[in-house]
Amino acid sequence: MSATVTAVNLGTIGVHYVEGELTPDSAVEVERLGYTALWIAGTREARLTSVERVLAATETLVVATGVVNVWHMDARAVADTYHWLDTAYPGRFLLGIGAGHREFGADFRSPYQAVVDYLDLLDERGVPKQRRALAALGPRMLKLAAERSAGAYPCLVTPAYTRRSRELLGPDALLAVEHKVALGTRAAGRDAIKVNLGLANYRANLTRMGFGEEDLADGGSDTLVDALVAQGDAATAAKQLRTQLEAGASHLVVHAVPTADRMRILTALAPELGVAAQ
């Protein structure tokens, strides 16, 4: 593994898509709007076909997996895919990996050790540290992200969490923070976090952030929803999203909800966030 390998340039603001909702045409539009990276959640196969399709359809957009599940996707096969993609599209792919959620059937005896073992295999196959990132919430995984990857990709977090994470990671590590945005009423935001509130690792992290059981019950308190989902008009939502960058995120991942409104929201936010249409 070469020590001279540089980190992928994600730019400042990217967007979140689920693999099943992503088309090459939508990726082209994301790039045209001026967003610099696209994070693909829910990748299902080690060949990462959806990543390749997006890279082929766009010119400068960086693509990251958000994330490859270490329980379900063979590390050796994923490493081979990484090398193929980096040869075909140099410097435009970041391999995000993570341990997923126990509720979705993963063997959760030791998620931390599973990630360590996966990183060991990626090392053996020559995937550079600076070309991978870890889904991380708790302090132990954040430290691992800083030590053995470009940095961390936390989701469903507040700016206060981001500030503490930056202190833990140090000044130079990647801290790519996902933040949801729902223009309009609070109802869309509450609906967007409903699934997350049923997952143990998110609930544990929200508790670490100071939210109580009353905040996590019944779809989330107003206080919780307002902290986790940017709302209002585009200017107001963009101001809230930027607080993540002000708190220490090096890259903001805009997760627009609901799905049916995603491109409309991204279009409205682009000028408010200062991304430049191409």
Side-chain angles (χ1 to χ4, degrees):
M1 182 167 56
S2 173
T4 63
V5 173
T6 57
V8 172
N9 183 8
L10 292 165
T12 305
I13 301 177
V15 302
H16 170 281
Y17 260 87
V18 174
E19 182 177 63
E21 302 164 355
L22 178 63
T23 67
D25 286 345
S26 57
V28 168
E29 183 63 10
V30 165
E31 182 177 58
R32 188 195 67 78
L33 287 170
Y35 297 98
T36 51
L38 193 152
W39 292 73
I40 304 177
T43 49
R44 300 292 182 184
E45 41 87 29
R47 186 66 174 77
L48 300 179
T49 303
S50 60
V51 172
E52 195 278 331
R53 287 174 178 166
V54 169
L55 289 169
T58 55
E59 296 181 5
T60 61
L61 194 69
V62 172
V63 181
T65 49
V67 292
V68 163
N69 190 308
V70 301
W71 301 107
H72 300 151
M73 296 172 69
D74 180 74
R76 296 172 182 84
V78 169
D80 290 345
T81 298
Y82 161 80
H83 287 297
W84 180 81
L85 289 172
D86 195 54
T87 298
Y89 308 96
R92 292 179 58 200
F93 174 55
L94 179 69
L95 176 62
I97 71 169
H101 307 280
R102 70 171 76 238
E103 292 85 358
F104 296 155
D107 178 353
F108 238 71
R109 286 170 295 178
S110 177
Y112 180 88
Q113 188 59 49
V115 173
V116 169
D117 294 344
Y118 207 91
L119 289 168
D120 289 344
L121 288 170
L122 294 180
D123 284 346
E124 289 178 12
R125 290 295 178 116
V127 178
K129 169 183 173 179
Q130 291 302 317
R131 296 297 177 85
R132 60 201 194 199
L134 301 188
L137 291 176
R140 193 180 186 204
M141 199 68 82
L142 285 167
K143 290 178 182 178
L144 183 67
E147 293 167 358
R148 300 202 55 189
S149 77
Y153 176 48
C155 299
L156 207 72
V157 298
T158 63
Y161 168 95
T162 298
R163 190 171 295 108
R164 290 191 294 271
S165 296
R166 173 52 70 198
E167 293 171 357
L168 191 152
L169 290 167
D172 300 324
L174 169 69
L175 181 52
V177 177
E178 177 264 7
H179 201 102
K180 292 179 174 58
V181 54
L183 300 186
T185 66
R186 187 182 283 129
R190 177 169 282 111
D191 188 62
I193 67 172
K194 186 183 302 181
V195 171
N196 303 100
L197 295 185
L199 300 174
N201 62 341
Y202 284 126
R203 291 179 69 90
N205 198 51
L206 290 168
T207 300
R208 280 194 294 265
M209 286 189 277
F211 294 103
E213 282 301 317
E214 66 279 6
D215 291 307
L216 306 181
D218 301 321
S221 67
D222 289 352
T223 299
L224 181 71
V225 175
D226 293 348
L228 298 177
V229 186
Q231 300 161 56
D233 60 18
T236 302
K239 184 177 180 180
Q240 183 176 350
L241 290 168
R242 282 197 169 277
T243 61
Q244 291 285 11
L245 297 170
E246 294 161 3
S250 51
H251 180 72
L252 171 68
V253 183
V254 179
H255 184 168
V257 295
T259 301
D261 291 340
R262 178 176 287 121
M263 195 56 70
R264 177 185 67 83
I265 294 170
L266 293 176
T267 300
L269 283 173
E272 302 295 341
L273 288 171
V275 301
Q278 299 180 17

